[in-house]
Amino acid sequence: MDRGMVIFVGALLTFSSSWLGLVLYPYWQLQNEQPYAKSPGDDPYPRPLAGQALAGVRVYQANGCLYCHSQQVRSEKFGNWWEDGQMKTGADIKRGWGARRTVSRDYLYDRPTMLGTMRTGPDLANVGARYAEPWQHNHTFNPRAVNSWSVMPSFAFLYAREKVVGGQKAAKALKLGREWTVDPGYRWRPTDRQWEAILAARGTAIRQAHLAGAVARVDPDSPAGRAELLEFWLTTEEEDYQVVPTTAADALVAYLLALRKGETPLPEAKE
Amino acid sequence: MAPTTPMTEPERERSARERRAIDSSCRVPVLYFAASAVFWLLAGSALAVIASVKLHSPYFLTGSPEFTFGRVRMAHLQAVGLGWAGMAVMAAAVWLMCRLSRVGLIYPKLLVFAGTLWNVGMVLDVLGILFGDGQSVEWLDAPRYVPPFLVAGLGIVSAWTVATFRRRRERHVYVTQWYVLAAVFWLPWLYTVAVLMIFWMPATGVVQPVVNWWFGHNYLGLWMTPVAVGAAYYIIPKVIGRPIHSYYLSILGFWSLALFYSWAGMHHLIGGPLPVWLVTASVVGSMMMFIPVIAVAINHHMTMLGSFHRLRYSPALRFTVFGAITYTAVSFQGAVESLRDFSEVAHFTHYTVAHAHLGAYGFFTMIMFGLFYYMVPRLTGREWASPGLIRVHFWSSAVGITIYFVALSIAGWWQGRMLNDPNVPFANIVRYVTPFLAIRSYIAGPLMTVGHVSFAILLTANLMGWGRQRTGGPTYFVEPATGTAGGPRELAAAGR
């Protein structure tokens, strides 16, 4: 046989072996997997995403959340640490990332299936069970508004900062202090000059609001008192402006709330 | 290739003339691929540094969606993985195949067209991702409209490489040709199947990540690795002027790589929601990789034995040998890393990132640099303008990747240990890795980038015709002393 033919046939065979074994065989093995219902009348699990949550997948994909977050809970036998001289296992579950391990059935309707390979941030397979909508919006808008140590990017570009019309804020407006909303994505502080100007214009109102809420306080005209006043004011909401989620942010949060993979018991996910 | 009986002077002259004719037939397309590759390397480096900084300083460039970490991270991998590595492999494949088959390239313009398809695809790929069309499927992040360009370009390059092989005038088929031929056959298949099963007709659930890692691992193993190993098989004997250590080892190395590497990919999913046998099969495949790796290691390093002093002179050799040694190291590491107990810690951490860069950079990229240092002057007829700048390139790349690897391996290992201990608050892990990531952003990454910029300057100068004409020997770091073994005469003859 010609040398070229030998290489060609050999390359074909070796490669086909892995293609058949690693790709086609599991494809065939898993293609008939069905949602699970404990008894005939029950709602089957999982269900395909729909509406906003489905649109949220695109936002998650486009912004590469996958590169910091996995979506898989490893079993009770995986991930070991030492405690009181004993080796324990099951770190993922112990961290509260899911009540059980995730199995192939959990991903039946995922397009694409984003298992992930990096945990710069916590696992999100079951994050829908951990937080409610307002928390998710605040966190997505600027993670440091929730956890000062976070290195997660701010997704403020999915939110709009707009003037409040008619004196009434939108129901969806984020309830965050002005330090986070004045300059979306950053943590804002007025310069000394700005602060003087603000005090001159609205000092009385700010002081009154401060007095109403504070428990123990220092002399409001001492340097410490003025610093405290500034800190207080920064944590209050802006009066004339509000930050509202765009459709993309709503979709993303709907998707995060729908991520509940480690909850519903499945017979094959025992450990 | 290296003839076993010494050639007479007229024979030598004839074969040099023949090589010049072959080189001139592939000059335009091969240089076009090489220059495009280097362009994508620069783009990829810039994206890499941005992404790296953002990972510890989240306020950096935070306002623009185009530069959010996830998008830059995807664009980086596409730029260096498909742009740099893809096009460098194609340049190498075409040139090595012509040289070793001893035939010129026919219709070189068609390859220029193929390269343009690939470049257009890459521009759409990188910009598409930055503007929000990324897919978040590792290695396959390209937006939907990109694969047709890449598949078409790749198809032409593959067909041309095979056609060149079929027109060969050299009867002996050298091991480099085996590797190149197999690679250009594997990738089109691999890529088409992956895109088909993940995007066009998505397979259910976890079959997608299976296909994903079958592709991701094989892109490295059956495309970048074979061509880089093949290039080293070509460069090392060429530069030092003696044949490869063992023909049989090279065959063993080739076939065992073909068989086992393609089975290794699933270790990326250890502990995941997949049938356990899949991962086990891959762990076996990964362990069997010791065979091809040891075969290639013995072959490369035994050939070098007694010639290590030449690393002082020849840039092509120095880069290539750095890559060849790293290949052994990174493959051993990879095999161990595939074990369950090891992965339990290293998976989901920067340890894997360090390993990936040791492979894709310390091994693959360094060998490609070596090949380019050897190949480009033969195509342009010009020597490199500045040995000093080559030295800058070598040391900043070599030191850069070493620091990168050490810093991220340490960070990743402890990150993994802490992730596995639920008593360690998540905040502590984030804080712990930060200084290591800063070392990458401010020392390792910039060093590597300095190397790439030096290389780009050298290449541009060469293409502009600013080097000296190629009449005598190649560009050396230092001119070897005459009369000693490895003197300029001998090296020039071997390296011409």
Side-chain angles (χ1 to χ4, degrees):
Chain A
M1 205 168 24
D2 170 44
R3 257 301 147 64
M5 242 350 182
V6 174
I7 300 174
F8 176 74
V9 173
L12 183 76
L13 288 180
T14 49
F15 191 60
S16 309
S17 75
S18 85
W19 185 55
L20 292 170
L22 292 184
V23 178
L24 274 187
Y25 185 67
Y27 177 77
W28 168 81
Q29 192 187 27
L30 293 170
Q31 70 176 345
N32 292 324
E33 210 169 20
Q34 295 297 328
Y36 174 74
K38 199 159 181 213
S39 42
D42 291 353
D43 273 350
Y45 167 87
R47 294 167 151 288
L49 293 174
Q52 276 194 322
L54 186 61
V57 178
R58 254 320 298 162
V59 186
Y60 190 94
Q61 261 181 294
N63 292 297
C65 313
L66 166 86
Y67 289 100
C68 287
H69 291 288
S70 58
Q71 285 189 22
Q72 48 177 314
V73 183
R74 300 192 291 184
S75 87
E76 268 166 24
K77 299 212 178 105
F78 225 94
N80 63 37
W81 75 98
W82 291 86
E83 200 173 306
D84 308 329
Q86 272 185 331
M87 194 178 82
K88 312 217 164 163
T89 60
D92 290 10
I93 294 170
K94 195 71 189 293
R95 275 190 185 278
W97 289 344
R100 57 162 173 86
R101 66 166 301 179
T102 54
V103 292
S104 63
R105 207 197 302 244
D106 290 305
Y107 303 86
L108 264 189
Y109 298 111
D110 285 22
R111 303 265 184 290
T113 305
M114 294 185 275
L115 293 183
T117 50
M118 174 52 93
R119 282 178 173 171
T120 296
D123 188 88
L124 298 184
N126 201 38
V127 75
R130 298 206 282 279
Y131 301 101
E133 187 171 349
W135 187 94
Q136 288 290 7
H137 274 304
N138 288 348
H139 182 258
T140 312
F141 177 73
N142 192 338
R144 277 150 299 286
V146 178
N147 288 319
S148 61
W149 46 270
S150 180
V151 291
M152 173 163 150
S154 144
F155 292 93
F157 55 83
L158 299 176
Y159 293 78
R161 179 169 182 265
E162 51 187 39
K163 226 176 154 63
V164 179
V165 280
Q168 187 68 36
K169 284 197 176 179
K172 292 220 135 211
L174 305 197
K175 297 197 170 34
L176 279 177
R178 69 187 77 229
E179 56 183 333
W180 303 108
T181 55
V182 169
D183 188 3
Y186 295 91
R187 185 171 197 173
W188 177 79
R189 269 183 167 261
T191 60
D192 288 347
R193 292 264 300 284
Q194 280 172 327
W195 182 226
E196 290 307 329
I198 292 161
L199 279 184
R202 286 187 309 199
T204 338
I206 297 173
R207 283 207 178 85
Q208 269 170 7
H210 185 209
L211 287 179
V215 194
R217 68 190 76 86
V218 279
D219 173 17
D221 288 320
S222 71
R226 288 170 67 100
E228 195 188 286
L229 192 66
L230 173 59
E231 291 310 322
F232 162 76
W233 182 69
L234 284 172
T235 56
T236 58
E237 284 180 44
E238 280 186 277
E239 294 81 15
D240 316 334
Y241 283 89
Q242 61 181 1
V243 168
V244 287
T246 60
T247 347
D250 272 330
L252 178 66
V253 167
Y255 172 58
L256 292 174
L257 294 174
L259 276 174
R260 287 166 168 264
K261 288 190 200 298
E263 253 186 345
T264 312
L266 287 179
E268 69 269 34
K270 292 227 177 54
E271 0 170 293
Chain B
M1 70 157 287
T4 34
T5 47
M7 288 202 253
T8 60
E9 200 50 45
E11 272 176 342
R12 210 180 261 275
E13 200 43 55
R14 193 155 4 101
S15 107
R17 233 191 347 266
E18 182 187 273
R19 280 201 299 272
R20 276 199 294 277
I22 293 171
D23 286 347
S24 85
S25 78
C26 30
R27 169 175 305 138
V28 175
V30 171
L31 287 175
Y32 177 51
F33 272 100
S36 309
V38 172
F39 170 80
W40 290 113
L41 179 65
L42 289 180
S45 312
L47 292 165
V49 173
I50 295 176
S52 181
V53 171
K54 291 181 82 86
L55 209 44
H56 52 76
S57 305
Y59 283 122
F60 176 62
L61 291 179
T62 206
S64 57
E66 291 77 25
F67 289 110
T68 189
F69 171 83
R71 297 191 192 179
V72 180
R73 164 76 168 73
M74 287 191 261
H76 158 68
L77 181 55
Q78 294 295 301
V80 294
L82 301 190
W84 154 248
M87 297 190 89
V89 164
M90 288 191 262
V94 170
W95 185 71
L96 289 169
M97 193 50 102
C98 286
R99 270 277 182 121
L100 290 164
S101 305
R102 288 181 49 217
V103 285
L105 194 67
I106 45 167
Y107 300 122
K109 283 203 180 109
L110 196 71
L111 282 186
V112 174
F113 174 66
T116 306
L117 278 176
W118 194 277
N119 272 329
V120 171
M122 283 308 305
V123 170
L124 290 176
D125 187 354
V126 170
L127 291 184
I129 287 173
L130 293 182
F131 284 100
D133 284 342
Q135 300 275 19
S136 282
V137 178
E138 210 161 342
W139 284 99
L140 292 161
D141 296 301
R144 276 165 181 272
Y145 38 83
V146 170
F149 289 94
L150 301 185
V151 171
L154 181 64
I156 297 174
V157 174
S158 292
W160 244 230
T161 311
V162 175
T164 305
F165 177 75
R166 296 198 46 111
R167 291 171 51 246
R168 69 189 180 278
R169 298 213 331 256
E170 169 64 56
R171 290 200 39 219
H172 176 71
V173 180
Y174 186 59
V175 57
T176 303
Q177 284 162 292
W178 297 53
Y179 279 112
V180 169
L181 210 55
V184 298
F185 163 71
W186 283 325
L187 187 68
W189 183 0
L190 192 63
Y191 189 59
T192 318
V193 169
V195 171
L196 196 75
M197 293 185 72
I198 298 179
F199 301 115
W200 293 339
M201 295 156 49
T204 45
V206 296
V207 179
Q208 290 175 39
V210 168
V211 178
N212 185 182
W213 284 110
W214 178 73
F215 175 84
H217 203 76
N218 286 349
Y219 187 84
L220 191 80
L222 300 182
W223 172 246
M224 291 161 63
T225 301
V227 174
V229 169
Y233 265 121
Y234 184 77
I235 298 287
I236 295 174
K238 270 284 192 188
V239 175
I240 66 178
R242 69 186 229 204
I244 203 75
H245 174 70
S246 156
Y247 176 72
Y248 294 100
L249 270 182
S250 64
I251 294 186
L252 173 71
F254 173 79
W255 288 114
S256 48
L257 176 120
L259 183 60
F260 299 128
Y261 217 136
S262 61
W263 276 87
M266 296 314 126
H267 63 237
H268 286 271
L269 299 168
I270 282 185
L274 304 150
V276 177
W277 65 265
L278 260 178
V279 178
T280 311
S282 270
V283 174
V284 174
S286 306
M287 295 315 287
M288 297 305 273
M289 277 302 291
F290 274 118
I291 299 173
V293 169
I294 291 174
V296 168
I298 294 177
N299 239 351
H300 284 167
H301 307 323
M302 288 302 280
T303 309
M304 270 306 288
L305 212 65
S307 303
F308 281 102
H309 59 285
R310 286 182 173 142
L311 295 177
R312 275 195 63 212
Y313 314 128
S314 164
L317 190 66
R318 196 190 284 177
F319 275 99
T320 306
V321 169
F322 185 100
I325 293 175
T326 311
Y327 178 59
T328 314
V330 73
S331 306
F332 275 51
Q333 190 201 11
V336 174
E337 208 176 331
S338 75
L339 294 173
R340 185 188 182 279
D341 287 337
F342 201 94
S343 251
E344 198 166 353
V345 178
H347 194 38
F348 295 129
T349 71
H350 292 293
Y351 190 91
T352 312
V353 179
H355 172 69
H357 282 79
L358 191 64
Y361 196 92
F363 152 54
F364 170 82
T365 297
M366 292 300 263
I367 289 188
M368 285 297 123
F369 287 148
L371 178 77
F372 282 19
Y373 276 116
Y374 185 86
M375 173 179 82
V376 171
R378 285 160 179 79
L379 293 170
T380 59
R382 295 273 166 188
E383 270 310 324
W384 298 103
S386 159
L389 209 52
I390 306 183
R391 194 174 287 128
V392 170
H393 177 194
F394 179 78
W395 287 111
S396 42
S397 285
V399 174
I401 184 64
T402 309
I403 296 177
Y404 186 115
F405 177 72
V406 172
L408 263 74
S409 295
I410 298 173
W413 185 259
W414 290 108
Q415 180 191 7
R417 292 281 351 144
M418 290 192 271
L419 279 169
N420 277 355
D421 182 349
N423 300 320
V424 178
F426 209 87
N428 292 16
I429 307 175
V430 169
R431 286 200 198 96
Y432 177 81
V433 297
T434 300
F436 296 97
L437 297 174
I439 290 176
R440 172 173 75 174
S441 299
Y442 300 131
I443 302 176
L447 265 179
M448 288 152 83
T449 310
V450 165
H452 306 158
V453 172
S454 314
F455 186 49
I457 294 173
L458 283 164
L459 183 67
T460 314
N462 196 304
L463 295 176
M464 307 281 271
W466 289 341
R468 82 186 145 77
Q469 289 276 1
R470 249 183 77 75
T471 45
T475 316
Y476 290 128
F477 287 124
V478 286
E479 288 303 326
T482 35
T484 58
R489 247 286 180 54
E490 193 187 339
L491 282 170
R496 185 177 280 148

